Amino acid sequence: MRRTGPGSVLVVGAGAAGLTAAAAAKDRGWEVTVLEKEQVIGGKCRSLHHDGAVYDLGANLTTPRYTYIRDLADRLGMTRRHLTDRRIVNLSNEDFPSLQDANLLKRLLVRGSSSLYVAARSLSGIEKHGYGDLAAAVEQPFGVWLERHGLAPFREVFATLFVAYGYGLMDELPAAYALKFFDKVHLQAAIDVILGQDVTDTMDFEEGFGELWERVDRHWELGTHRGARLVQIHRSPRGVSAIWSDRNDVTRVQRFDRLVVACPLDLSLGFLDASAAEQRLFSQLRYNDYYVTAAILHG
């Protein structure tokens, strides 16, 4: 039988990365199968529905750099919403209250430090060369990098941003990662948010981020298999062989031409025929707990 398209692809994981990859493959004519172990899709884009309102429990805003997400949301009929009022407070440090309540001098210090950071970041060469030619110094923790560049007063601001964005602790994360993400546009938007200023291009969606990925699944007719359990994946020059069971515990054996692993890589060791190098790399992944609390206020 003659093949009419480029082939078939198995996508493991129906979070933002997996569904984006699946949609792109579908647009290019691939036959796509998406497996998700949870009963809901979207990964960390979970939304809570209560009393007619939607509250995002994971991803909860887009910054000015998230042009693809905003374009995707517009295409799928999502309703953009300017950020609701929010406060970022460091509860573990009583000497560091919300910057929205800070005096003028403190606010000016934050603005000035952010300008110094942008200048130091530019000198690192990351804009021109990316990660490839960065000095070895950016392998050190970001907090150390800030101090060595005379930006110690800015540590508290970044510490709050790191936790609020879910990136963990700045004294553990390499400076290269922070430098890559916090460019001038991202940083200024983040500073505006924590200072309580208006940020035109920072927004969320009335329907919630979870609904965005549900619409991706429907629009591209991906038919994501929810509640799926992968038993084994074997890769060879001839393609990919997968054994998995659906939500009804029906076991399936299928062959694919390509594989996209979009689930946590350490969890893939439970079903993937990982090489020794993959096992060493994937087993070194670390996680920081990130909690979202939803509360109903009375009175």
Side-chain angles (χ1 to χ4, degrees), residues 39-52:
Q39 297 295 337
V40 295
I41 63 174
K44 294 180 176 62
C45 298
R46 300 294 178 92
S47 302
L48 171 68
H49 297 257
H50 176 75
D51 198 22

Side-chain angles (χ1 to χ4, degrees), residues 56-102:
D56 290 307
L57 303 181
N60 55 60
L61 59 85
T62 65
T63 69
R65 286 289 193 213
Y66 285 52
T67 55
Y68 173 81
I69 293 297
R70 290 203 301 275
D71 290 345
L72 177 65
D74 290 344
R75 178 179 180 180
L76 298 178
M78 297 288 290
T79 308
R80 289 193 197 184
R81 180 175 62 183
H82 191 66
L83 275 185
T84 55
D85 290 338
R86 59 186 64 200
R87 298 173 69 82
I88 297 178
V89 182
N90 188 341
L91 296 177
S92 64
N93 186 351
E94 295 181 356
D95 296 325
F96 187 71
S98 168
L99 282 172
Q100 290 169 261
D101 300 325

